[in-house]
Amino acid sequence: MMKKIPGYELVVIDDKNGKVCYLHNNFRYHFASSSSQKTIYRCAYYQSIYQCKVKLWKTRDGKVTVVGGEHHHDDAKNAREVAAMKIEMKKQACSTHDFPSRIIHEVERNHPIARRCISILASNSYIRRKRDEIGRPKEPATLEELANTLETNEEMKDVVKSNYRGIVHPEGENAGCALLFVHDDMLEEFNTAKIIEIDETMKAVPTTPEGTQIWIISV
Ligand SMILES: [Zn+2]
C-alpha cells in the first residue's frame, strides 16, 4: 500500500511485515530515531552488506534533507564487487599475518567501487572475525603471553614448529625474559663448530609485545 503524505516529499508504504517505511527518490528508509527537532530515517540497506550510511532528516516543518553521502547499492555489478572484496579480505586474513590496515589497503586497490560501500570499521571486523574463526590468537601484550601462545595455540605451533624452544628468565630478582628459537640442524652445527659468533640487533625487535634485543648466535 502506498500513500503520498500531503506536504511531504516522502511516500509512506507498508512493507510485508506491516511496518511503515518511507520511499524517497526511489530509495526506501526505515524509522531510526526521533527528537523534538527532527525524525531520522535510515536507508533500508543500512543493515545489509553495504551498510549504507544515507539518512533522511525530517524536521518539524516537514523539510526533508538527505545526509550521509550517496547510495552505492543500486546495481548488481556493485553487489558482485562488494562480495568479491569481502572474500578477498577474508582470504588474506587467513593466509597472511598482516595488520588489518595493510590487508584493507591492498584489497581496496582492486575494488574501487566496493571500497565506497564497506567502511574501514566493517572491513576490520570481517578480518578480525575470520581470524577468530580459524583460531588465530590476539596480539600478545607481553613476551610471556607470546610464549604461552606459541606453546598452546595450534596455528602458532604450526608456524614456529619445533624451532621454538621455550622461555627463559634471569635468575634472582632480575626482570625480563627471552624466547629461544633454534633449528635442530643448527644445534648439530654448534656441537662441531670451532668458532661461534654472536651478534645483536636492537632495531628489528617487536614493539608489541615490547622487545629490547634480538640476540643471534651463528657459526
Ligand atoms: Zn542506501
Side-chain angles (χ1 to χ4, degrees):
M1 188 185 80
M2 275 202 183
K3 182 166 66 134
K4 178 103 175 118
I5 308 172
Y8 291 84
E9 294 168 52
L10 293 173
V11 177
V12 62
I13 51 171
D14 284 337
D15 70 7
K16 285 179 201 125
N17 304 317
K19 286 183 192 150
V20 173
C21 53
Y22 293 88
L23 213 58
H24 183 263
N25 290 340
N26 288 325
F27 290 106
R28 187 184 283 237
Y29 297 83
H30 297 293
F31 172 81
S33 64
S34 181
S35 70
S36 56
Q37 272 86 43
K38 60 179 181 282
T39 310
I40 299 171
Y41 302 90
R42 276 195 182 281
C43 174
Y45 281 82
Y46 175 64
Q47 283 184 321
S48 72
I49 186 173
Y50 297 102
Q51 303 186 317
C52 184
K53 299 286 189 293
V54 182
K55 284 188 247 179
L56 284 186
W57 286 4
K58 195 177 86 182
T59 45
R60 287 243 155 227
D61 57 8
K63 196 166 167 282
V64 172
T65 317
V66 177
V67 294
E70 285 172 40
H71 301 268
H72 294 292
H73 46 74
D74 47 351
D75 71 48
K77 187 170 169 286
N78 287 7
R80 279 199 301 275
E81 206 187 286
V82 167
M85 180 167 151
K86 269 185 79 173
I87 289 169
E88 184 62 33
M89 281 193 292
K90 287 178 178 177
K91 215 185 267 175
Q92 289 210 26
C94 297
S95 64
T96 75
H97 288 268
D98 291 345
F99 283 116
S101 55
R102 190 189 168 93
I103 295 177
I104 295 165
H105 181 71
E106 285 285 310
V107 172
E108 278 187 346
R109 282 201 308 209
N110 301 328
H111 301 281
I113 297 170
R115 65 184 291 181
R116 298 185 313 223
C117 305
I118 305 179
S119 69
I120 298 285
L121 215 65
S123 297
N124 262 299
S125 132
Y126 295 141
I127 293 167
R128 216 176 35 244
R129 284 212 301 264
K130 189 68 204 171
R131 285 181 166 169
D132 282 351
E133 206 179 294
I134 61 167
R136 186 77 60 87
K138 305 217 170 6
E139 199 173 75
T142 61
L143 286 173
E144 277 88 354
E145 219 177 278
L146 172 61
N148 185 48
T149 302
L150 296 180
E151 283 159 23
T152 56
N153 181 275
E154 290 308 318
E155 204 198 347
M156 289 299 108
K157 271 156 78 175
D158 190 50
V159 170
V160 292
K161 301 208 161 53
S162 59
N163 297 320
Y164 174 62
R165 304 298 170 123
I167 183 168
V168 288
H169 294 88
E171 285 176 11
E173 297 292 296
N174 297 318
C177 63
L179 274 64
L180 306 180
F181 297 86
V182 66
H183 192 274
D184 276 339
D185 291 352
M186 278 310 291
L187 282 179
E188 291 291 324
E189 296 276 343
F190 288 142
N191 280 333
T192 53
K194 295 270 187 301
I195 300 170
I196 291 176
E197 292 174 340
I198 288 164
D199 196 8
E200 60 180 327
T201 174
M202 281 146 176
K203 261 187 181 173
V205 293
T207 47
T208 313
E210 193 184 349
T212 47
Q213 189 184 83
I214 294 179
W215 219 49
I216 306 146
I217 308 170
S218 51
V219 291

